[in-house]
Amino acid sequence: MSLVLTSKVVESKDGTTIFAEACGDHSKPHIVFVHGFACAATAFDRLFCLSHFQKNFYLVRYDARGHARSGKPINEEAYDSARYAEDFDAVCEAFNVSKPFYAGWSLAGAIAADICAAHNPVPIRGIIWLGALPYMGDVMPIVATPLVLSFLPGMCSPETPSEALSQRIDFCHTLVAPQILSEVPFADMASWIGAATHLLPECAKLLIGRSHDPTRLKEEGAQGLPLCIIHGADDIQISGKDVIEQMEPQFKDCESHLLPGIGHILFWEDPEQVAGIIEKFVTRVVQDLEVSTNNYWFTKAC
């Protein structure tokens, strides 16, 4: 199916511009997607192109601050936790999105913690982690591989322009499972590398070095905020096994999917499988909420 997107440049609370896009059926459940480190919203193209995905959901995506077509502030305060929640809020307001599911890929998995920290009650129905880092802080050295951590100095504080570019190219080569790297079309790899070059070293350093408090995320998880972990078993950037081990015990309602033969950019490698898991998860959560609401009003009536 062709991809026809409605695009908007949204102004966040601090004045940073956020480039956002949407497609699908607005009357269906809403899902907001955010890409990972040194990438762009265009990474989701294969997933957003699926006709049944567009038919069953309203799909929103945006370029995170510091990346691609969004604003690139270079002051530390611009990467505070609250700014990430404000970006999410601004995009939701611009597209009239109500109680969406939040889908964060890679580093953007951590934005769920920013959203929870900034809101009570939380404005999301559930969390979908796609090859995701759960939050910034103590979990990072546990789940992030030594390989991906080795790229950070050259991407955040390169000694030469040549190093900055070479590290971005090498980083993009680790997005897919190693065994299929040679099969990636040049146009796709060039797109990923192009997005990576839009990340200024100054921005990379600030967004990697930021901190936030995951307490509210864990509290919401313990109280039943639904979480769906989808991870490639052959991901060489973030260990899905370790993410599941660390986070499953924190969430009362958690389902985990470790996909064999799939790497970090799992929704590009197997969009149909990933879409199917998301569809089942969202449908289940929506139905559970409807049953819970009906039971509440039935009890009130009695």
Side-chain angles (χ1 to χ4, degrees), residues 53-54 58 82 93 109 122 125 140 146 159 191 193 198 210 213 223 230 233 239-240 258 275 278 281 301:
F53 212 49
Q54 290 190 31
Y58 187 60
E93 182 178 357
V122 293
R125 291 192 188 188
M140 195 167 180
E159 295 184 2
S191 174
I193 294 170
H198 278 75
R210 78 186 189 93
D213 186 353
Q223 293 169 14
I230 314 175
S239 167
L258 201 55
I278 293 174
F281 171 71

Side-chain angles (χ1 to χ4, degrees), residues 38-40 42 67-68 172 190-199:
C39 295
T42 51
H67 292 82
C172 290
S191 174
W192 302 339
I193 294 170
T197 64
H198 278 75
L199 178 63

